[in-house]
């Protein structure tokens, strides 16, 4: 497959280089919000939306900054974009779904510090994607984040019902599970290059 | 801000050591996990990342603490982020100037220090409420604790994954490296193992303390454990 094609970029961000399990981005919500499947699903929707919006805006801002040779301001402007996108999502949710707004709680504003989102913006700049490639990349990354967090939530719901030794409390066992999940995702590496 | 000044506890050794081990940002608070797992495949990378994070943490907390009486409450998070982003940009260019090799290895993760929850968390929870000196000391402790955790993970992964430490061969030629340790799954599994070990030690300590208390206070009562 052509590594530049939109389909490949999507698939690469979604499975081969899964953002959570292969690139270690967005681990805080991955550990924090993956206790219940419903919350995990809503969280991944919100994250994907913010990723999409900030990726599109970051593309625009980057071309302006490059035009004026102000690349050193890139990081600060990306962060500002993401913070505003999160604010937008927060307002939309508060208006249309107050229950969801309360369920996500502190994790909603914390999307701002989700490294997966800044990661999307930074990687698309580093790899020089054009507009449509950036969109495909952000959607793939969002879907990959959703897949990983949903799988984890399913596993953790099962764990709740099983008997565990005391020392595996807190995050220790989640990390082991994530390791095994990550190992299975390595199997997708055969699909294509490491782009 | 007179209220916070009244409550302020005296400066003790504890301010420094809390972050180093008792409330270690990685093992206890589980903050800033992304760089912890992503760059710890060698000790060298871990040291570089630890130093960069320490620098950003100390500088940004110092500035936040110095400006804490001037930052309006409504825009404080935005202000903190801008302060942090400034220092990260600084570190980004410094590392690029010192060692391009290290810069290429760490890749985007230097810039991703901006979104390390540890730094924003400390700025919000500690530096915005405490004096300049205490914030700097606490941030140094936290930063060193973070670096310590990175090196603990990095050394295990490099030792098992390639049979060497800081580029020096430890095991003989016959050692078959566990490639999986330097790949992503190894990061999760090694961190999981460290957490299990720490939980185990902690539990043993608590149990022995309970037993001691019980033995001291109720010598005649048979123990129920």
């Amino acid at each position: 497959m052509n590594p530049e094609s939109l389909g490949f970029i999507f698939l690469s961000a979604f499975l081969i280089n899964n953002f959570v399990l292969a690139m270690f981005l967005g681990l805080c919500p991955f550990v924090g919000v993956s206790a219940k499947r419903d919350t995990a699903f809503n969280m991944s929707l919100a994250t994907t939306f913010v990723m999409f919006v900030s990726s599109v805006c970051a593309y625009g801002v980057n071309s302006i900054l490059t035009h004026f040779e102000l690349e050193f301001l890139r990081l600060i402007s990306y962060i500002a974009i993401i913070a505003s996108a999160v604010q937008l999502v927060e307002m939309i949710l508060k208006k249309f779904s107050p229950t969801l707004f309360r369920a996500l709680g502190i994790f909603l504003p914390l999307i701002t510090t989700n490294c997966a989102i800044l990661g999307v913006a930074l990687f698309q700049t580093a790899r020089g994607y054009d507009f449509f490639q950036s969109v495909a990349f952000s959607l793939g990354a969002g879907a990959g984040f959703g897949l990983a967090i949903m799988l984890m939530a399913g596993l953790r719901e099962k764990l709740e019902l099983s008997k565990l030794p005391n020392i595996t409390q807190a995050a220790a066992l989640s990390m082991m599970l994530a390791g095994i999940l990550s190992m299975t995702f390595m199997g997708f590496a055969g699909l294509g290059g490491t782009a | 801000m007179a209220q916070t000044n009244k409550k302020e506890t005296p400066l003790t050794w504890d301010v420094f050591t809390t972050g180093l081990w008792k409330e270690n940002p990685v093992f206890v608070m589980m903050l800033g996990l992304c760089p912890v797992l992503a760059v710890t495949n060698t000790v060298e990378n871990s040291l570089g990342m630890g130093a960069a994070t320490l620098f950003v943490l100390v500088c940004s907390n110092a500035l936040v603490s110095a400006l804490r009486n001037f930052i309006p409450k409504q825009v404080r998070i935005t202000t903190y982020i801008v302060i942090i982003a400034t220092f990260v940009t600084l570190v980004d260019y410094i590392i690029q100037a010192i060692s391009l090799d290290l810069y290429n290895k760490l890749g985007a993760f230097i810039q991703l220090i901006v979104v390390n929850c540890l730094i924003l968390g400390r700025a919000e929870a500690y530096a915005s409420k405490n004096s300049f000196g205490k914030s700097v000391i606490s941030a140094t402790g936290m930063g060193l604790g973070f670096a310590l955790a990175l090196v603990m993970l990095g050394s295990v992964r490099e030792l098992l994954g390639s049979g060497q430490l800081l580029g020096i061969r430890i095991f003989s030629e016959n050692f078959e490296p566990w490639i999986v340790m330097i790949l992503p799954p190894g990061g999760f599994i090694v961190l999981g193992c460290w957490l299990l070990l720490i939980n185990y030690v902690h539990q043993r300590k608590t149990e022995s303390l309970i037993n001691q208390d019980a033995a001291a206070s109720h010598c005649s009562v048979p123990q129920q454990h």
Side-chain angles (χ1 to χ4, degrees), chain B residues 79-110:
Chain B
T79 320
Y80 299 162
I81 285 273
V82 172
I83 291 174
I84 295 167
T86 313
F87 283 113
V88 172
T89 312
L90 213 62
V91 165
D92 194 54
Y93 283 105
I94 292 175
I95 293 185
Q96 223 168 331
I98 295 175
S99 161
L100 201 58
D101 189 38
L102 183 67
Y103 181 79
N104 289 334
K105 274 187 202 151
L106 294 178
F109 280 95
I110 301 172

Side-chain angles (χ1 to χ4, degrees), chain A residues 21-28 72 75-76 79 113 115 122 166-169 171-172 175-176 178-179 182-183 186, chain B residues 30 34 37-38 81 85 88-89 93 109 111-112 114-115 117 120 183-185 188-189 191-193 195-196 199-200 203:
Chain A
L21 296 168
M23 315 227 310
F24 302 119
L25 293 168
L27 285 178
C28 296
F72 60 90
L75 198 57
I76 297 179
I79 277 287
T113 52
C115 24
L122 287 176
N166 262 345
I167 57 163
T168 57
Q169 63 194 345
M175 281 297 136
M176 294 303 227
S182 163
M183 226 184 284
M186 271 174 65
Chain B
M30 308 288 293
C34 311
L37 294 168
I81 285 273
V88 172
T89 312
Y93 283 105
F109 280 95
Q111 298 184 341
L112 285 173
V114 179
V115 284
C117 356
L120 189 64
L183 292 175
F188 284 114
I189 292 175
L191 179 60
C193 290
L195 286 173
L196 283 179
N199 278 348
Y200 177 69
Q203 205 180 330

Side-chain angles (χ1 to χ4, degrees), chain B:
Chain B
M1 280 289 156
Q3 253 187 340
T4 48
N5 286 339
K6 233 184 274 173
K7 273 187 221 155
E8 214 157 80
T9 46
L11 181 60
T12 54
W13 187 234
D14 239 25
V15 176
F16 179 71
T17 51
T18 312
L20 205 56
W21 188 252
K22 217 187 306 161
E23 278 178 27
N24 187 291
V26 176
F27 294 131
V28 181
M29 304 205 292
M30 308 288 293
L31 285 177
L33 284 183
C34 311
V36 171
L37 294 168
V39 301
T40 53
N41 43 11
T42 63
V43 179
E44 194 194 344
N45 288 359
S46 312
L47 282 173
M49 192 66 198
T53 312
L54 177 66
F55 175 80
V56 175
L57 185 62
V58 172
C59 292
S60 58
N61 274 14
L63 198 58
V64 165
S65 169
L67 296 175
R68 70 185 186 284
N69 295 340
F70 303 102
I71 299 174
K73 208 165 176 294
Q74 293 82 358
V75 293
R76 65 185 194 288
I77 301 285
T78 325
T79 320
Y80 299 162
I81 285 273
V82 172
I83 291 174
I84 295 167
T86 313
F87 283 113
V88 172
T89 312
L90 213 62
V91 165
D92 194 54
Y93 283 105
I94 292 175
I95 293 185
Q96 223 168 331
I98 295 175
S99 161
L100 201 58
D101 189 38
L102 183 67
Y103 181 79
N104 289 334
K105 274 187 202 151
L106 294 178
F109 280 95
I110 301 172
Q111 298 184 341
L112 285 173
I113 296 178
V114 179
V115 284
N116 191 328
C117 356
L118 168 65
I119 296 173
L120 189 64
R122 291 312 288 175
E124 164 76 0
Y126 201 90
S128 61
K129 299 191 184 82
N130 287 285
S131 66
F132 182 80
K134 269 176 77 178
S135 302
V136 170
I137 292 170
S138 161
T140 316
M142 278 284 165
L144 286 177
F146 186 75
L148 175 76
L150 282 176
V151 172
M152 275 165 76
L153 263 126
S155 46
V156 173
R157 286 180 72 186
E158 193 179 353
L159 193 63
L160 294 178
S162 51
Q164 48 192 8
L165 218 51
L166 275 172
I168 303 160
R169 272 208 93 72
I170 303 286
F171 294 138
S172 71
E173 295 290 318
N174 299 330
F175 177 74
E176 186 67 40
W178 303 10
I179 302 290
V180 74
M181 281 301 165
I182 44 177
L183 292 175
F188 284 114
I189 292 175
V190 172
L191 179 60
C193 290
W194 273 118
L195 286 173
L196 283 179
L197 185 71
I198 288 166
N199 278 348
Y200 177 69
V201 171
H202 196 248
Q203 205 180 330
R204 283 284 296 272
K205 220 163 122 190
T206 328
E207 266 171 20
S208 72
L209 271 181
I210 290 171
N211 285 345
Q212 264 176 19
D213 278 359
S217 53
H218 321 280
C219 287
S220 52
V221 181
Q223 280 179 23
Q224 304 278 315
H225 299 290

Side-chain angles (χ1 to χ4, degrees), chain A residues 36-109:
Chain A
K36 277 212 191 90
R37 259 182 300 175
D38 296 345
T39 341
F41 182 68
N42 293 329
M43 183 68 189
S44 58
L45 277 188
T47 308
T48 311
F49 181 74
V50 176
M51 257 182 203
F52 175 71
V53 172
S54 56
S55 155
V56 170
C57 297
Y59 179 79
V61 166
N62 186 41
S63 41
I64 296 172
L65 287 182
T66 323
H67 184 253
F68 291 107
E69 296 182 347
L70 291 170
E71 281 94 347
F72 60 90
L73 284 178
R74 197 183 276 151
L75 198 57
I76 297 179
S77 21
Y78 281 5
I79 277 287
I81 291 169
I82 293 169
S84 347
V86 170
Q87 203 80 57
L88 190 72
V89 171
E90 219 177 324
M91 285 191 292
I92 294 174
L93 272 186
K94 207 173 183 178
K95 177 98 170 99
F96 291 106
S97 171
T99 10
L100 179 57
F101 180 74
R102 254 173 277 129
L104 289 175
I106 180 71
F107 284 100
L108 199 56

